Amino acid sequence: MGTLKVLILEDNEYDMELVKRSVVSSSNYHFQFTWVVSKNDFIKALTDTKFDIVLSDYNLPQFNGIDALKISKEINPNIPFIIVTGTLTEEAAADAIKAGAWDYVVKERLHRLPLAIESVLKLKNEKLKLKESEEKFRLITTSAQDGIIMIDDEGKINYWNPGAEKIFGYSIEEVRNQNMHSLLAPSKYHSQHLPAFQHFRETGEGPMLGKVVELEALKKDGTIIDIELSLAGMQLSQGYGAVGIVRDISERKKAENEIKRQYYFIDAMLHSIPVPLFYKDTEGKYLGCNEAFSEMFGKSAEEIRGKTVTELWTERYSQTYNEKDLELLQDKSKQRYESVILDKDQKEHQVIYDKAVFYNEKDEVAGIIGTFTNITEIKKKEAELILAKEKAEESDRLKSAFLATMSHELRTPLNAVIGFSSLIDGSLPLDEILEMAKLINKSGNHLLNIIESIFNISMLQTKELKIRPESFSVYDVFLEMKSVIEAEINNEKKEHIFVSFEPEPNTTSTAIVTDKTKLIQMLTNLLSNAVKFTEKGKIEFGYFFTEKDITFFVQDTGIGIPSDKTELIFERFRQVDDTHTRQHGGIGLGLAICKEIANLLGGSLWVDSEEGKGSSFYFRLPDVVLKDAELPENVAEPSIPDLKNTALLIAEDIESNYSLIEAMLRKTGAHLLWAKSGEEAIRLASENPEVSLILMDIRMPGINGYEATRSIKKIKPKLKIIAQTAYTMPEEIAKCIKAGCDGYISKPISKIKLYDVIRQMMQ
Ligand code: ADP
C-alpha cells in the first residue's frame, strides 16, 4: 500500500482538519498532507512536489477553485483535482467539471470524499493506461513503414499514418474525411467498388477482407504505384469501417518484372542457341533443356524434366556420364570431355561435352548446366586428314626410297664401267683387258636393262606399245626360257638350286597365239626374280592347259612375300624391302611391267606366297591355244647376211657408235663409208653411186638426220635409208618415215636387229 501525497488548498483551518480526517477515516492509503492557503504557496507546492491528488476549496480569498484548477492543469495536467466546497450551485459544479475538475464534494457530505478520491485515482489509472495504449498505437503506426489507413462507414479516411503519407504523398490534413477509394484507386477500379462497398458497409463482409491483395494505387503526384493491401473490417457504432495496411511494392514489382524479363530473355536465348543445352539438379534430374536438345533427342523439355539420364537413355553411355557428373559436382568447376551420344534415330554421334556447375542464392551448388558440340564431321575430317598425311608421308618416304634405289642401281654398273675403263691401258696383258671389257659390257647391259625397263613401263602405261600376235610353239618358248634360267643360275652362281621344268606333257607341237616377245619378256622377269630371291631349295617352271587357256607358273622356295605386300609389288618402283640395307638389287619395275603386259595380252597375273617359304607366280592367257595343225613352219635361225658386193654409208657423228656398227658388220663383207655429219652424208651419197643403203643417225650436229634424208631422197629417191634412233616413241618413228626413211633401228643396236633390218631393206 503506497503513500498518497495530498495537497489541500483551504483558507479555513477547521475545514482543512475536517477534510483531512474524513480522507484518512476510511481509506487503505497512507496519506501525506500539505496544506496551503495562498495562491503563491499553492503554485510553489505544485511546482516543488509531485502530488497524487489536489483537494481544493471553491471559494478562496484571493482566487477561486476554477483558477486553482487552471493553475494545477498548467503545472501538471494529470493530477486529479477534486473541489471540496461548502456550497456549490448546480451551475458552478457543471462549470468546474467543464473546466477539468475530476469531481466535487460538498462539505456537508464529506463522508463521500474517500469514495471520490478512490474513483478519481481509478480514473487517473485508466487514463494513464489509455494514454499508454494510445502512445503505443501512435508509436507503432508512426514508425511503421507500411501505410495504415482507417476509414469510417462511409469510406472516409479518419486515420492516416506517416507511412501512408510517405507512400501516397498526402498529409493527414489533406486526406481527412476524403473518400479513400475515390482518392487512391485509379478510375478503372471505381465501377466495381461502389456496390461492393455498399454491401460491406451493411454486412461487414467483402471479398477483399482478410486477404492480402495486390493493386494499383494513385499517388498525389498522379503516378500509379503497385501496392499490397490487407484489409480488416471494424464494427463501428453504426455500420462498418475498415483498417487497411498498405505496402508500396513498386520496387518489388519492378524487381519481379525485371526477373520475369530476364527469364523470358534467357529462355528465348536458350532456345535460339543452335547447340543442344540442358540443365539438371544436383541429383542428376533434368530441370530443362533448349529446343536444339529436344530436336536432337526427340524429347520435349516437359518429357525430360524430373528424369535422370539413366531413366531416359541407354545405360551404355549413362554410366560414364553419371561418373563425370559426380566428379564435376565435387570439383565445383568446369568440365570438357569427348563422348558418344545416341540421337533420336539411335544414330551415334561423337560429341564434346562442356559442363559447369551453377549456384543458388545461398551460394550452394544447385546443379549442372551443359552443352555438347557435335564433332562427328570434324572427327571424320580429322581421320581423312591423318590418312592424307600418312599417305603424303608414305609417298615422301617412297620418293626417297625410290631415289636411293635408283641411285644405287645406276651407280653400281656405272662404277664398273668407269672404274674398269679407266684401268685399261696399253701396259695391261690382253686377257685382262678382255676380262675387263666383258665386265664393262655386262654393266653396260645392266644399265641398258634399267633404261629399257623405264621406257617399257612408261610406254606400256601410256598404251603406246602395240601387241603383235603371232602363232608359235609353246614348247619352243619353254625351251628358250629354260636356257634363260640356266644362264641366270649360272650368272648368279646359284647352281645349288634345283630347277625343275614341268611343261604340260605331249605338247611339243602345241601352238598358242599371242605376242611372243612380250610373253618372253614377262617370263624372263618372273624367272630372274625367282632366281634372285631364292637362296636354296628349288625353282619349278612350267605350264599347263585348261581347254584353250594356258597358265604359266614360276614357283620358288625363296624368301616369299608378306601377305600385306602381295598387291603392292605389282606397283611401279615398289619392293617388299625398300630400305637401303636391302640385300637384292633391282628397281621395282619388273612386276609392274609384267602386270601391264598381262593386261595388254588380255591375261591375268597373280601370286601366291608365304613369307619365308616361297612364292608362286601364275600367268594365265585365255583362249590362245591353237590346234596342232595350225602350227607354223619352223623359222630358220637368223644368219649373217652376205653383203660382199654392197656399199653401205654409215652417217654417225660419234666414233664409238660407228666402231660398234663397223664391228657388227665386219663378217658380212660389206664395204663401209663413214659420214661424220649430215652434210658429209649428203655429199658421200651423191658422190658414190655404188652406195645401196644408208644407216642414218638422226641426232647429229648441224644438218640432222631428217634433213639429210630429205636432201638425199630428193637426189636419189630409190636409195634405202634406215634411221638409227635412240627414241623409240611412235611419233619419233613416224617423223623418220615422213622424212623419207624406209626403216628404223633403235639404239643400242643389237647385231640381230641390225641383220634383220638390213635383210628387209635388201629384199
Ligand atoms: P625388283 O626385282 O627390281 O625389285 P620387281 O617388280 O620384279 O622389282 O619385284 C618387286 C618386288 O617384289 C621385289 O623387290 C621383291 O620384293 C618382290 N618379289 C618379286 N618376285 C619375288 C620372288 N620370286 N620372291 C620373293 N619376292 C619377290
Side-chain angles (χ1 to χ4, degrees):
M1 194 169 38
T3 303
L4 281 181
K5 288 182 184 163
V6 181
L7 177 63
I8 302 173
L9 176 60
E10 178 61 69
D11 57 341
N12 184 321
E13 193 178 352
Y14 172 72
D15 280 355
M16 182 273 289
E17 279 303 329
L18 273 177
V19 168
K20 262 190 184 172
R21 218 168 294 152
S22 74
V23 169
V24 174
S25 67
S26 60
S27 178
N28 296 326
Y29 295 99
H30 291 296
F31 292 97
Q32 189 185 319
F33 295 102
T34 304
W35 174 41
V36 288
V37 178
S38 71
K39 188 177 176 179
N40 286 344
D41 288 347
F42 181 64
I43 293 168
K44 191 168 181 302
L46 277 176
T47 322
D48 291 349
T49 313
K50 206 167 169 258
F51 289 99
D52 295 306
I53 195 158
V54 176
L55 301 177
S56 167
D57 192 6
Y58 191 77
N59 291 312
L60 295 157
Q62 290 172 335
F63 62 126
N64 66 17
I66 299 289
D67 297 329
L69 177 62
K70 279 183 188 153
I71 291 166
S72 169
K73 266 171 80 179
E74 258 167 42
I75 295 170
N76 189 343
N78 294 324
I79 303 179
F81 195 96
I82 301 174
I83 290 182
V84 184
T85 178
T87 49
L88 194 68
T89 60
E90 202 68 359
E91 265 166 58
D95 282 349
I97 293 299
K98 223 175 178 180
W102 289 44
D103 204 351
Y104 65 90
V105 175
V106 185
K107 284 182 180 166
E108 286 88 58
R109 299 170 69 184
L110 269 184
H111 62 274
R112 222 184 59 82
L113 191 55
L115 219 81
I117 289 175
E118 195 76 28
S119 74
V120 296
L121 283 176
K122 219 166 154 191
L123 189 63
K124 181 189 172 189
N125 214 13
E126 275 166 14
K127 273 193 176 177
L128 279 175
K129 272 191 186 152
L130 183 67
K131 217 173 157 203
E132 203 178 297
S133 121
E134 274 178 357
E135 185 59 13
K136 272 187 197 158
F137 175 76
R138 194 189 61 80
L139 267 175
I140 290 168
T141 54
T142 51
S143 63
Q145 290 298 310
D146 292 343
I148 301 171
I149 303 168
M150 288 184 205
I151 51 170
D152 62 16
D153 61 333
E154 286 176 24
K156 288 185 183 156
I157 296 168
N158 55 19
Y159 184 80
W160 182 260
N161 78 337
E165 185 172 331
K166 208 166 134 204
I167 292 171
F168 293 103
Y170 293 110
S171 68
I172 175 72
E173 288 73 30
E174 288 172 303
V175 297
R176 200 189 307 279
N177 285 329
Q178 295 251 34
N179 184 290
M180 179 182 82
H181 195 82
S182 324
L183 186 70
L184 303 179
S187 53
K188 64 177 176 187
Y189 295 116
H190 290 183
S191 58
Q192 309 160 3
H193 168 72
L194 276 176
F197 187 75
Q198 197 53 38
H199 177 73
F200 164 72
R201 190 179 177 187
E202 286 155 15
T203 61
E205 290 166 7
M208 280 161 68
L209 293 173
K211 288 187 194 152
V212 180
V213 285
E214 286 183 9
L215 296 167
E216 284 179 339
L218 206 54
K219 280 176 52 161
K220 183 182 174 184
D221 63 10
T223 51
I224 289 180
I225 54 168
D226 292 296
I227 59 157
E228 195 178 76
L229 172 69
S230 44
L231 213 55
M234 194 166 57
Q235 191 160 21
L236 303 173
S237 46
Q238 32 176 289
Y240 286 88
V243 183
I245 300 195
V246 177
R247 179 165 293 177
D248 183 353
I249 57 165
S250 301
E251 285 305 312
R252 196 179 84 194
K253 272 273 164 193
K254 232 158 99 187
E256 277 174 11
N257 288 341
E258 179 58 22
I259 288 170
K260 255 191 214 162
R261 197 187 63 76
Q262 282 183 12
Y263 173 79
Y264 290 138
F265 174 72
I266 290 171
D267 199 53
M269 192 169 74
L270 285 188
H271 291 304
S272 67
I273 293 174
V275 177
L277 185 146
F278 57 88
Y279 40 106
K280 305 190 290 183
D281 63 16
T282 48
E283 283 166 14
K285 289 185 179 141
Y286 280 96
L287 297 168
C289 66
N290 70 352
E291 275 164 17
F293 186 94
S294 295
E295 172 59 28
M296 181 101 195
F297 294 108
K299 283 187 169 45
S300 68
E302 286 68 41
E303 283 174 282
I304 66 157
R305 204 162 283 144
K307 303 220 175 77
T308 64
V309 173
T310 323
E311 284 164 347
L312 286 168
W313 288 291
T314 151
E315 263 186 40
R316 193 160 129 218
Y317 302 116
S318 55
Q319 197 185 337
T320 9
Y321 190 91
N322 287 332
E323 281 166 11
K324 283 279 179 191
D325 274 7
L326 281 179
E327 220 175 82
L328 178 61
L329 288 170
Q330 266 162 19
D331 293 354
K332 299 182 183 165
S333 59
K334 288 180 178 176
Q335 198 176 57
R336 166 174 267 233
Y337 64 93
E338 278 187 26
S339 188
V340 177
I341 55 152
L342 279 183
D343 71 6
K344 57 184 175 203
D345 305 318
Q346 299 303 299
K347 204 171 129 203
E348 281 195 350
H349 296 271
Q350 282 191 288
V351 296
I352 291 184
Y353 272 109
D354 277 294
K355 296 189 200 168
V357 290
F358 63 88
Y359 292 84
N360 65 12
E361 66 287 351
K362 290 179 208 148
D363 270 351
E364 299 159 342
V365 171
I368 290 175
I369 181 158
T371 64
F372 52 80
T373 318
N374 199 334
I375 52 161
T376 315
E377 281 305 308
I378 297 173
K379 280 272 162 191
K380 225 165 92 189
K381 286 267 162 341
E382 199 178 272
E384 281 169 14
L385 279 180
I386 290 173
L387 204 76
K389 186 174 157 261
E390 281 170 1
K391 269 194 179 162
E393 281 169 359
E394 172 71 354
S395 97
D396 219 40
R397 194 189 64 74
L398 286 177
K399 207 165 75 190
S400 311
F402 166 73
L403 288 175
T405 305
M406 283 305 268
S407 162
H408 175 264
E409 289 302 309
L410 294 173
R411 271 171 205 279
T412 313
L414 270 174
N415 268 348
V417 171
I418 295 165
F420 285 124
S421 57
S422 68
L423 285 178
I424 295 172
D425 66 29
S427 65
L428 284 177
L430 186 63
D431 53 344
E432 258 186 58
I433 295 178
L434 287 177
E435 192 53 39
M436 287 185 189
K438 251 193 212 160
L439 289 171
I440 292 172
N441 179 269
K442 195 177 159 199
S443 300
N445 276 326
H446 187 70
L447 277 172
L448 184 63
N449 277 340
I450 293 177
I451 292 164
E452 268 178 352
S453 297
I454 294 172
F455 276 112
N456 246 308
I457 191 71
S458 68
M459 289 183 81
L460 278 163
Q461 287 191 326
T462 52
K463 310 278 179 251
E464 282 172 42
L465 278 192
K466 297 279 169 284
I467 46 167
R468 297 208 173 91
E470 56 184 306
S471 55
F472 55 89
S473 155
V474 196
Y475 194 70
D476 283 355
V477 170
F478 170 74
L479 292 180
E480 201 173 315
M481 296 325 298
K482 200 171 165 230
S483 51
V484 166
I485 308 183
E486 280 159 357
E488 200 78 18
I489 291 265
N490 207 20
N491 248 350
E492 297 262 331
K493 302 200 172 33
K494 288 188 175 174
E495 286 83 1
H496 57 280
I497 295 175
F498 175 68
V499 186
S500 145
F501 298 99
E502 297 183 5
E504 171 110 19
N506 309 319
T507 54
T508 43
S509 56
T510 310
I512 59 168
V513 181
T514 186
D515 188 319
K516 188 177 164 190
T517 324
K518 293 203 171 55
L519 175 65
I520 289 174
Q521 188 184 356
M522 168 188 278
L523 294 174
T524 309
N525 250 322
L526 296 180
L527 287 166
S528 57
N529 272 351
V531 177
K532 182 158 72 170
F533 295 107
T534 307
E535 294 306 324
K536 58 179 195 294
K538 67 171 183 175
I539 294 172
E540 284 174 46
F541 167 58
Y543 60 88
F544 56 86
F545 296 113
T546 34
E547 295 176 356
K548 294 186 90 184
D549 299 353
I550 185 168
T551 307
F552 293 92
F553 57 88
V554 178
Q555 289 180 333
D556 65 58
T557 54
I559 59 169
I561 298 153
S563 55
D564 61 328
K565 302 262 166 79
T566 51
E567 300 270 314
L568 167 153
I569 52 166
F570 292 103
E571 289 172 26
R572 290 178 310 153
F573 302 112
R574 299 302 300 272
Q575 296 169 311
V576 170
D577 184 2
D578 58 6
T579 59
H580 63 278
T581 53
R582 73 206 174 96
Q583 285 186 354
H584 305 96
I587 55 167
L589 277 182
L591 289 179
I593 291 174
C594 291
K595 192 87 187 170
E596 290 295 339
I597 292 177
N599 290 341
L600 202 64
L601 301 185
S604 46
L605 172 67
W606 71 98
V607 65
D608 263 352
S609 184
E610 204 175 322
E611 198 177 3
K613 294 208 168 151
S615 319
S616 306
F617 284 85
Y618 297 91
F619 173 50
R620 167 174 290 194
L621 274 173
D623 205 17
V624 290
V625 181
L626 289 181
K627 283 180 233 127
D628 291 357
E630 290 165 333
L631 189 66
E633 293 276 305
N634 252 0
V635 184
E637 264 288 299
S639 54
I640 302 167
D642 184 1
L643 304 173
K644 277 192 197 77
N645 299 315
T646 317
L648 261 62
L649 175 62
I650 315 295
E652 172 62 67
D653 59 325
I654 296 166
E655 190 177 4
S656 59
N657 283 350
Y658 171 74
S659 310
L660 189 68
I661 295 171
E662 199 251 310
M664 286 174 178
L665 293 178
R666 200 168 297 147
K667 287 186 182 161
T668 64
H671 170 63
L672 299 186
L673 279 94
W674 178 21
K676 294 184 188 93
S677 66
E679 292 91 332
E680 206 177 345
I682 300 166
R683 186 174 57 76
L684 288 179
S686 54
E687 284 171 8
N688 298 286
E690 75 281 17
V691 170
S692 53
L693 184 67
I694 302 177
L695 272 177
M696 177 73 76
D697 186 15
I698 292 298
R699 249 186 74 171
M700 284 185 293
I703 295 182
N704 63 26
Y706 305 120
E707 286 174 43
T709 304
R710 269 192 287 273
S711 307
I712 295 168
K713 280 281 178 178
K714 267 187 208 153
I715 319 159
K716 296 192 168 182
K718 286 200 179 143
L719 181 55
K720 297 273 164 108
I721 301 178
I722 299 169
Q724 334 165 28
T725 169
Y727 314 112
T728 48
M729 312 289 171
E731 312 88 295
E732 193 60 38
I733 295 160
K735 227 170 142 186
C736 295
I737 305 294
K738 207 175 159 204
C741 294
D742 302 280
Y744 74 95
I745 182 164
S746 58
K747 283 182 176 178
I749 296 169
S750 80
K751 217 195 248 180
I752 296 167
K753 275 198 273 179
L754 186 60
Y755 291 173
D756 270 356
V757 72
I758 293 176
R759 216 180 261 119
Q760 272 175 38
M761 293 296 125
M762 302 306 280
Q763 271 167 12

